[in-house]
Amino acid sequence: MINRYVAAAAAMFIVVFTSYIAQFYFLLDYSFSEDTAVWGQLGDYVGGLLNPILSFIALVLLIKSLSLQNEANEGLRSELKRNEKSEKLRSFEALFFGMINSQKELFDALKVEFGQHDTEFTKCSIEAVMEIEDEIERIRDTNGSNEDVRKFLEKIDSKEKIFGLTRSFYIIVKMISDKLSDSHGFDYEDRRSHILTLVNFTDFSLLRLIMISLQFMEYHSTEYLRENKDFNEVLKEVGIDYNLY
C-alpha cells in the first residue's frame, strides 16, 4: 500500500517536470538557461505544484499508519481479553470439577431413615433414592397431595441430607451463573455447556433426587433453581422435568 503512494508521488514529479520541459523547451523553443536565478524559479515552480500534492500524500500515509497502529492495538487488546477469559475459565473449572466431586461424596454418604429403621448406603445411595420414589408413588396412589409428599420428605430428612445435596447442587449452578455471567465476559453458551456438564456428571439417581426436591420442597435453593432460566433451558434440552410425580 505504501509503495503505491511512493510510486504515485514519483509519477507526479516526473509528469510535472516533463510537462515543464515539453512546454518551454519543445513547444516554445526555449534553451536551457545558464542563469542560476532562472533555475531557482524552476525549483519554485516545481515545488509550488508538488508540495501540496506531496503534503496530501504524506497526510494520507500518516492517517494510514495511525489506522494500522490502531488495528494492531485492537488485535492486542482482543488477545489480552481472550487470555484473561481463558485464565478465568481455567480457575473456574478447577473449582467447578472439585465441587462436582464433593457433591458425589455427599451423595455416597447419604443416609435416609425409613420408619423405625436406618437404611444406610455408604458406597452407593441408589437404593435410597429408589425407596423414596416408591414411597412417593404409594402416596400418589392413595391420592396424596404435594403437601403429603413434602411432609414425608421432611420426616425422612431429619438430618437434612437431602437438603444438603440440593443446596450443593444449587451452589454449583449459582456459581456458574455468577462467575460466567455476561458482565464477566462470558455468554449463554459458556453457561449452558457447564450446566450441561454438571447435569451429565451428576449421578442419575442424585439428579432424580434433586428433581424431587424441586417439585415438592420449598427451599431457597429449590426456588432459585426453578427460576434459573439457563438451568431450565438445559433441563429442557436433555429432556428432564421436575414435575415427575
Side-chain angles (χ1 to χ4, degrees):
M1 179 64 72
I2 294 178
N3 290 336
R4 289 165 54 185
Y5 286 109
V6 172
M12 290 177 186
F13 179 82
I14 294 173
V15 168
V16 170
F17 198 75
T18 303
S19 64
Y20 186 88
I21 294 175
Q23 174 68 20
F24 292 99
Y25 186 77
F26 292 105
L27 296 180
L28 299 179
D29 199 24
Y30 285 5
S31 60
F32 286 99
S33 175
E34 296 180 358
D35 187 353
T36 55
V38 174
W39 284 100
Q41 294 172 4
L42 172 62
D44 291 339
Y45 168 78
V46 174
L49 287 178
L50 291 180
N51 281 343
I53 299 174
L54 296 178
S55 297
F56 175 75
I57 292 176
L59 179 61
V60 171
L61 290 174
L62 176 61
I63 294 174
K64 184 65 177 177
S65 175
L66 291 175
S67 177
L68 291 174
Q69 183 63 42
N70 186 59
E71 290 177 6
N73 291 339
E74 186 64 32
L76 180 60
R77 284 192 291 268
S78 298
E79 183 64 26
L80 288 174
K81 286 182 179 179
R82 285 193 295 270
N83 291 339
E84 182 181 359
K85 179 179 178 180
S86 297
E87 186 60 34
K88 286 181 179 179
L89 198 57
R90 281 194 294 269
S91 176
F92 167 82
E93 288 184 342
L95 179 60
F96 172 70
F97 287 107
M99 293 182 72
I100 289 179
N101 288 332
S102 297
Q103 175 183 255
K104 185 179 185 303
E105 292 174 1
L106 286 174
F107 182 57
D108 288 342
L110 176 64
K111 180 180 178 181
V112 179
E113 298 177 357
F114 296 98
Q116 301 299 319
H117 304 284
D118 289 350
T119 304
E120 185 174 357
F121 303 93
T122 57
K123 185 176 181 181
C124 178
S125 298
I126 296 175
E127 292 86 348
V129 176
M130 294 176 63
E131 183 65 28
I132 291 172
E133 291 176 320
D134 289 343
E135 183 60 31
I136 293 175
E137 290 292 349
R138 284 192 287 269
I139 293 173
R140 287 305 203 193
D141 289 342
T142 57
N143 297 320
S145 64
N146 287 354
E147 182 64 18
D148 294 328
V149 176
R150 184 183 64 79
K151 289 180 179 179
F152 158 70
L153 293 173
E154 289 178 345
K155 180 180 178 181
I156 65 173
D157 195 31
S158 59
K159 296 183 180 180
E160 298 188 340
K161 297 293 186 178
I162 299 176
F163 170 80
L165 285 166
T166 303
R167 187 172 182 274
S168 175
F169 191 88
Y170 143 78
I171 289 174
I172 300 176
V173 173
K174 189 174 188 301
M175 183 182 70
I176 294 172
S177 296
D178 292 346
K179 298 293 186 181
L180 303 185
S181 64
D182 293 343
S183 61
H184 284 82
F186 297 91
D187 54 27
Y188 166 73
E189 187 56 35
D190 294 314
R191 295 187 293 275
R192 172 196 162 277
S193 64
H194 283 82
I195 294 175
L196 187 60
T197 299
L198 171 62
V199 170
N200 289 332
F201 275 47
T202 298
D203 189 284
F204 186 56
S205 295
L206 172 56
L207 192 59
R208 300 200 313 273
L209 184 61
I210 299 299
M211 295 302 106
I212 289 172
S213 292
L214 288 178
Q215 182 174 354
F216 298 108
M217 306 307 289
E218 293 298 331
Y219 305 140
H220 172 73
S221 55
T222 57
E223 181 180 351
Y224 177 88
L225 291 172
R226 285 193 295 263
E227 294 179 357
N228 188 292
K229 181 179 179 182
D230 295 337
F231 175 65
N232 281 276
E233 287 293 329
V234 172
L235 289 185
K236 186 185 299 183
E237 180 180 339
V238 298
I240 299 177
D241 191 4
Y242 49 78
N243 289 296
L244 301 176
Y245 301 94

